[in-house]
Amino acid sequence: MKRRDIFQFSLFAILLGIQFLACKTDKAEALENLEVTDTIVTTATADTPVYQAPYQPPEGWTELNRELGFVVDIRYATDSNFTGKIIYDCPKCLLRKDVADYLIMLQKHLKEKYNLGIKVFDCYRPKPYQQRLWDVVPDARYVTPPAKGSMHSRGMAVDLTLVDSLGNELDMGTAYDYFGKEAHIDFLDLPQEVLENRAFLKAKMEEYGFEAIRTEWWHFAFNKRMYNFDDFVWSCN
Ligand SMILES: [Zn+2]
């Protein structure tokens, strides 16, 4: 190789190198831009409202919701419950169809005759969720052991209270899920108004096929027939 050829060859190699580096830089920039673009796309998607079809419960089950006139405040789908933890992935009030039918009749009756409504705190509790609850509070004084099974897991129990026409809860003396003697239905050292509200709720629930338990003024179980436990978990879509 002549000296001049060597020089030309070197120059060519250097130029090729620069070209390669430039190319690489362009590619890196393109990748960076792509990431930025991706972020923007992701943000836009999150802000875009997504159509959700109404939830269809399985055969034999009914969802109590606002359309049916109920105030739905499923506390185990929030951390506003006695465990302080979120137990359910999302809130839904599902009940066996005839259990729901009686509550729908009662809701209409309360609305028409007393201008009152029903607020539900808990309804069907699938066994997997009962297990979660037990894992957080493994104490049979507060939570039914999953092996024994709760009436909620049969889709036959409902935790509820009464609300006025503005949605304000009637005074029942304690908050929902308050564990103490003040929440017992045979605890009578309470203001007259509270005693009357509790007595009214219990009487109406009994009239429509439900029975109370001694330790929780808010808990009622359907007593017209018995259902098996179930374990399906509702979809959150
Ligand atoms: Zn209950």
Side-chain angles (χ1 to χ4, degrees):
M1 218 181 241
K2 285 181 186 170
R3 230 176 121 181
R4 199 175 148 200
D5 286 347
I6 291 168
F7 174 72
Q8 273 185 346
F9 178 74
S10 305
L11 196 65
F12 175 71
I14 290 165
L15 283 171
L16 200 71
I18 291 170
Q19 185 86 11
F20 175 72
L21 281 174
C23 228
K24 213 174 167 190
T25 316
D26 281 349
K27 209 172 170 188
E29 261 177 38
L31 274 174
E32 263 176 36
N33 287 343
L34 195 69
E35 272 168 26
V36 169
T37 316
D38 275 351
T39 312
I40 292 165
V41 168
T42 309
T43 313
T45 308
D47 290 343
T48 310
V50 178
Y51 170 74
Q52 290 186 340
Y55 175 72
Q56 288 294 329
E59 179 87 31
W61 293 77
T62 299
E63 180 184 8
L64 298 186
N65 52 29
R66 206 151 38 143
E67 284 68 45
L68 289 168
F70 291 84
V71 180
V72 181
D73 182 13
I74 305 298
R75 294 292 182 80
Y76 292 123
T78 74
D79 59 8
S80 174
N81 64 67
F82 81 103
T83 70
K85 296 206 160 56
I86 297 171
I87 306 290
Y88 298 176
D89 292 340
C90 59
K92 284 211 191 304
C93 177
L94 297 181
L95 290 168
R96 299 281 181 179
K97 189 181 174 300
D98 57 353
V99 181
D101 286 346
Y102 276 90
L103 276 180
I104 292 166
M105 282 191 284
L106 173 58
Q107 156 72 19
K108 281 187 184 145
H109 165 74
L110 291 170
K111 174 83 185 142
E112 283 165 19
K113 203 159 177 197
Y114 305 95
N115 204 19
L116 291 173
I118 292 175
K119 180 188 228 181
V120 290
F121 296 120
D122 196 27
C123 306
Y124 166 57
R125 186 186 305 147
K127 281 185 95 176
Y129 284 172
Q130 184 72 25
Q131 183 65 50
R132 279 191 198 174
L133 198 55
W134 179 256
D135 292 342
V136 174
V137 186
D139 186 333
R141 284 177 301 168
Y142 307 114
V143 177
T144 309
K148 186 180 172 211
S150 160
M151 290 295 267
H152 283 283
S153 298
R154 295 177 188 271
M156 296 172 56
V158 59
D159 296 340
L160 48 70
T161 193
L162 297 172
V163 290
D164 66 18
S165 58
L166 299 174
N168 302 309
E169 291 176 26
L170 267 54
D171 189 356
M172 294 292 175
T174 76
Y176 166 61
D177 256 1
Y178 173 87
F179 291 105
K181 63 181 189 312
E182 293 83 353
H184 296 186
I185 60 172
D186 54 3
F187 183 82
L188 303 177
D189 188 15
L190 292 164
Q192 190 59 28
E193 187 197 349
V194 171
L195 294 175
E196 281 170 15
N197 288 342
R198 284 190 185 185
F200 180 75
L201 174 64
K202 183 169 175 286
K204 286 297 168 189
M205 290 302 287
E206 285 171 352
E207 201 181 313
Y208 281 77
F210 292 82
E211 59 190 52
I213 55 168
R214 194 183 67 83
T215 51
E216 301 174 357
W217 61 256
W218 55 82
H219 176 102
F220 295 90
F222 193 62
N223 65 7
K224 289 189 181 292
R225 60 178 292 188
M226 183 58 90
Y227 288 98
N228 290 331
F229 296 112
D230 219 323
D231 56 9
F232 76 88
V233 174
W234 55 81
S235 121
C236 291
N237 294 324

